[in-house]
Amino acid sequence: MSSARLRSPGLLVPLLLATGWLVVLVMHLRQPFPSDQINYMRTAAQFPDPLNSALTHQITRFGLVIPLRLSIALFGYSQAAYYSVALLGSLGLLLGTYTLGALLFSRWVGVVAAIVVVAAPPLFIESSDPLPDVPAAALITLALALAVAIRQGRVPVRWWTLAGLGALLGWSYLVREFTVFLWPLVPLLIYPRVRRRGLLQVAWPVALAGLLEALLCQVLYGNPLARVHSITGHGQAPSPPAIAATYRDKPRSVYVLRLPDVLAEHAGSGRLVLLIVFTLLGGALAALLWRRAPRWRELALPAAWFLALWVPLVLLGGVLDPAAPKLRLQLMRYWFPIFPAFALGGVGLVWLAAREAADRLSRRAATVATALPAVLVLLLGAVTAGPAVRSWWAESGTRAGGATQLAAFRTWMSEHGDGVPRVWSGRHTVRLLEIYRRGPFGGVAWQAKPTAALIGGARPAPGDLVVFYDTDRGALCGFCRLTTEDIWGKPPRPEAGWREVYATPDRLLRVYSVGTG
């Protein structure tokens, strides 16, 4: 690596990129959601004790559970613990994509591709949730970036760099099992420099990750293959007819076209399909021009990356057996590890085509020739990422869009909650109140015990508080509305003797004090 690349200007672009993206993420944090996100939080809070749950495929994803446990140890069961791992995952994905783009093509490609990936609406929506998909995509992208750097001689071949590469691969599996389909790309990239001995140095951390999983599964759940069994059987359990109809017994062409179809359905994501077409076209050009035009070879990696994940997902998702798909491919999160591939492939193709055109311009157009690749890449970024950003900027479910009702309730409770024994609500709302019982970075904000009202169970007593959260429309938390309706009617209504003592300005959250009735 040249000394110029080691000086601070080489770090300035990714530093500014990461800082700017972190500001955007913090502005657009979404209020916690009481579904899989809280399942992972609860599993982590109890770790290393086992959690009694039928969701084995979730509670055994130790690559996510362990970092969440460390976050909870640092911040308590709080917002900071909920968001921190997800934010690190989004930043890792941003920087991994940038690094790959800079290594394969140019910094312009790195910047544009990175923004296209993290700004994609389906991925951005989950960028503040403790779910496995964004961190897994980040880990495998960082692993491929390190592999390319090793191949290009920009990173020395040392035992610790190879072990670090293996650790990224192993941990990516512990977070999300689909990343194993991308592992073969790594030895193909690094073998010319590291040979067989180097591959063994990469392999031992991967084997160690597998042993760690087997040990934890045995100790916690009595079966070293608990996660493997849950993964291989996932999707086979009975589903409600309405859900089963969305992914079972479809024509095979439906499964083949799932990715572009689902992207096209997401607001602001339709133009990403163009990048998929460019990526596959780039792979074909790389194969055709392999000997004659070496610069086009760089497009082979994004195309191989795309196909290495797309093919097995489509096969398992329904092509092999439409009556019993292993995966619900309409869930966009399954596709996240493929996003950097088509972003890099699409933007990289435009960059190389523009360079080819620039080389053909006369000397009289030297300035135009120099600027042309960057201008076209930036234009492509604006066309693809622009609609994506507009679709979620200041959206109502984010802090920037005013989704701070639970934080406002925490502030009110810290000032008015003394002497309140219990705070009641539907069971999904209570899952959220357990987080907002603590300050943003930990510490107890109010003492009352969040308690779920259940059908046929105990009822609020005089002196307790009852919280109705998003019970009118269910716009931010449909589950909260449904489980509150189970107890207090549709729509929920306060009982006799209740008195409203607090409401957010939009009345999305209302608090009632229980009297003697």
Side-chain angles (χ1 to χ4, degrees), residues 26-27 134 212 247 256 280 324:
V26 172
M27 286 174 56
V134 173
L212 174 64
Y247 73 104
V256 170
L280 297 176

Side-chain angles (χ1 to χ4, degrees), residues 56-102:
T56 308
H57 65 288
Q58 292 185 0
I59 62 179
T60 55
R61 285 201 176 111
F62 301 113
L64 177 62
V65 170
I66 292 174
L68 280 176
R69 183 67 188 90
L70 295 174
S71 185
I72 291 171
L74 183 62
F75 299 115
Y77 196 83
S78 65
Q79 284 177 278
Y82 181 95
Y83 294 127
S84 57
V85 174
L87 296 184
L88 288 174
S90 185
L91 289 173
L93 183 56
L94 175 88
L95 294 175
T97 306
Y98 165 79
T99 302
L100 268 172

Side-chain angles (χ1 to χ4, degrees), residues 256-436:
V256 170
L257 296 173
R258 275 294 194 190
L259 177 58
D261 285 347
V262 175
L263 278 175
E265 292 171 1
H266 270 270
S269 299
R271 295 178 183 178
L272 297 179
V273 177
L274 180 65
L275 298 181
I276 295 176
V277 175
F278 283 0
T279 298
L280 297 176
L281 176 60
L285 289 173
L288 291 172
L289 303 175
W290 192 267
R291 294 184 181 277
R292 288 183 292 161
R295 71 166 55 163
W296 293 87
R297 294 177 185 175
E298 306 295 4
L299 293 171
L301 176 59
W305 180 349
F306 181 91
L307 293 172
L309 190 58
W310 180 82
V311 169
L313 288 188
V314 166
L315 291 175
L316 294 172
V319 168
L320 291 179
D321 187 0
K326 300 286 187 182
L327 307 168
R328 287 190 285 162
L329 294 182
Q330 74 270 30
L331 300 178
M332 200 70 239
R333 61 178 180 267
Y334 290 163
W335 298 102
F336 288 172
I338 216 171
F339 277 46
F342 66 70
L344 289 165
V347 179
L349 175 67
V350 171
W351 172 264
L352 291 179
R355 283 192 60 190
E356 195 76 22
D359 290 345
R360 297 175 183 273
L361 292 176
S362 65
R363 293 182 179 179
R364 288 177 297 177
T367 302
V368 174
T370 301
L372 182 63
V375 169
L376 290 181
V377 162
L378 289 173
L379 181 61
L380 178 63
V383 168
T384 53
V389 172
R390 285 197 300 271
S391 73
W392 50 253
W393 190 267
E395 193 263 332
S396 61
T398 66
R399 285 184 61 194
T404 58
Q405 295 86 358
L406 291 169
F409 171 69
R410 176 178 55 208
T411 300
W412 182 85
M413 276 294 293
S414 67
E415 298 171 355
H416 302 89
D418 291 345
V420 175
R422 294 175 183 269
V423 175
W424 294 78
S425 194
R427 58 188 177 90
H428 282 94
T429 306
V430 165
R431 286 181 156 202
L432 303 181
L433 295 180
E434 289 170 349
I435 293 176
Y436 284 88

